[in-house]
Structure formats: C-alpha cells, structure tokens
Amino acid sequence: MKKTTAALLAFLMLFSLCACGAAEAPAAPAPVESTPQPMAELRQADASVETGVRMNGLWSEAAARYEAMTGSPVTESAPEDATLLIADAETLLARAGSLAELGESAAYALLNERSYALRDSEGRIIGLPLELQSVAVAVNTELLEKAGYSLDALDGFKALRRFSTSVDNRKDELGFFAWAPMALADGSGLKLTQYLFNMPMYAELQQSGSFTGKYVGDYRDAHFKDLFTVMLDYGTKSGKDCNTVSDAESLEVFARGEALFCLMGSWELEALRNAGFPMEQLAFVPAWMGLEGEQDWGFVTDATLFAAVRAGEPAEEHAAEDFLCWALSDSESQLLLADLYEGMPYEGFLCSNPLLAQNAANDDAGLTAVPRLLRQLEKPEEWDSFFLSSLRTISPDNVVWRWQVTVWDLVDRWNGKK
C-alpha cells in the first residue's frame, strides 16, 4: 500500500464531519502537503471538537507513519474513549461487547459485498471492512497461449490439473514449467495455511449450515491434497526441495516467465510489477480443488482492517456512523482512502491492484468470495507453524508424492483428538 502521513492527515484535518445524505456537499479539500505534520497537529487531527468523536485507529495510523517518516518516536497513546476505531478482526472481536451494531447503519448499506463485514459470535455486524487481501492462482496468459490453451478453457480443477500435466510432460519443449515452486520455508506458506485451506473448510461449514462454529475437520475428502499435489509435483522444484523455498523466490520464478501458474496473494502484486513482469499478461483464476459448488466461488478473500464504533452515547455513535458514511461515499474522500487501503469494497472506489480488481469483478458477477475462517481456531499463529512443518514432513522425496498423513488428521491432532 502506498500511503503517506500527509494524505491521512489531510483526510482528518481538511474535512468536517458530514451526515450521509445531507443537503450541503462537503467543501473541496485544500492541497495535500507533502511534509510530515508536527505532533501538535496530529493531536488536533485526532479529535473533532464539534462532535466529540475521537478516532483512535486513525490516530495510531497517523502516528505510526509520522514516526516512520521522521524517525522520531511517538509516545502518546491512542485515547481509551475513542468512538471510532480502526483495527484488525482479532482486536475488535476481543472487545465485541463494547462495540455498536452497524447492521442498520447507512455506511453498512454502502458495501458492495456484505459478507466482508465483521460479525461477532452473536451475528452482530461490528466492523466495516476497509482493506481486503485475496489469494488466487496467477496465470501467465502468454505462456498459456504457447501451451495451446485459452483462458476460457481454464474453467475448473479438472482443466487446471489437465493443463498442468500437459505442460509438465512438454516442459523441455515449451521451455517453462507448469507451476512456480511451492514455498514451504520458515516465514512463508501463509497462502497455504491461512488462505488455501479455507476452501475445504468453507465446504464443510456450508454443509453444516453454520459459519461460526468451531471447525473440527469432519469434511474428509482429499481435495486439498489433490490441488497441493498438482502444485508440488509439477513445479520447478518438488518434494522436500520446496522446504527451503521462500515466497519471494517462488514469485521471482513466475516473474521470469519460467512457470505458467503461481499461487499468489494480492500483497505480492507490487513486488511482481517491480520485478518487471508484463502485467498485461497476468490473469487470475480461483484455486479450484474439485469441491462441490466451487464453480460459484471466487477467490479466498479476507478483510484485514475494519472500522468500528464504540457503543456509548447515541449522539456520539450517530456522529461516528455519519462520518463513516460520508467518508465512504464522498468522491474526494474516496481518493484519499483508496491511497490508504487496498480493495475497499464500496461503490465508487478504484483499485489499482489487479488481483483485488478481479475479486471485485467476481463479486459483481455473483461469485461468492471464500472467507478466511481460520481465525476461529484457537492460537491461529501457532497453527501456521504447525501446519507448515507438517506439510514438509508429508513430502519425503522428489520422485513420488506420498500423502503419508492427511490434512484432516493434522486438524484432529490440533484439536487434541490424536
């Protein structure tokens, strides 16, 4: 994300709170200064004297960016009585009881895809998404054409596996591999552990009809295994050779045109562009596994940052909700927010990230984004290292892929059943 302190401060200091649907349009903003603002102005930006609404999340972002730009530490802490908060899901869910319900707010009605909103354990809407991250299969369309295939023909897991097998059989002739190497090194693998694994999890929870219950691994079809096998066996490296491959190394292989496919996160697009990859040759398809109903699914997509309102005085709640509605609908405000956050799922926002832009197109086409449900597991940060180390032990050699332990057995272990 290309964000600047000056842009954030301009957003806070140059616009007054404006009720959604008010008769008068907000005044046009003054030119944004490019220099960091002094701390006195940061403090002033944190509070609206007229309404008493305090925005601790915005304060935290402004202060952090000020510190990054100037090298001067910020010692002031965010106000405890903030009415408008900007934070991740875990932070907001931990204090869900003190947050207002936003399901009836005008700001919530602006969402293009309401499944991105944050719900608490009782189903209340407590957070409105500000930033999205998606994971999908990146496709080099030029290599796809060289292999004799079209993007339209890539319409599901069977086609993905067939194309991968064909390219692998002809890799010497074609001059490229089917897949960039699987990244299983320490510090990598997030796309596998926290995103890709949501596909079979989502299928299980769809069958049970509940999206808030604890996941126990009862859905035992081998679909994750099937896709993982394709990506591992037909990559530029296979088996235990992938155990030391980082996400950056995998991306570099794809950027050099050495692989047709690559599992990619939206946060990697800037690095791909900087590596010189011709972005006009880039397309994305879902990480299909052959699951029932997946033809109606889009990418695995997660909202990573939310706006929330602290429950309290009705006047303050209303003022904060009005501010959010204005900020998310006013054209000038949208330009500033689009520079701060990627993939904002609201009408009128432009997205320069091609993966997130395709995710938005999927939403418009009626495809269902697969949510990142793993935050419901206990100690999700420990799950990452547990799952990744387990995947390494499942690939013992470079010749034959042997699924010695199923992923579902891993979940059983995690939940203390084995």
Side-chain angles (χ1 to χ4, degrees), residues 318-341:
H318 181 68
E321 291 174 8
D322 280 348
F323 175 81
L324 279 175
C325 183
W326 164 75
L328 295 171
S329 58
D330 176 78
S331 59
E332 297 291 345
S333 172
Q334 286 183 343
L335 290 175
L336 291 172
L337 287 176
D339 188 53
L340 291 168
Y341 308 116

Side-chain angles (χ1 to χ4, degrees), residues 178 196 401:
L196 199 60
W401 167 247

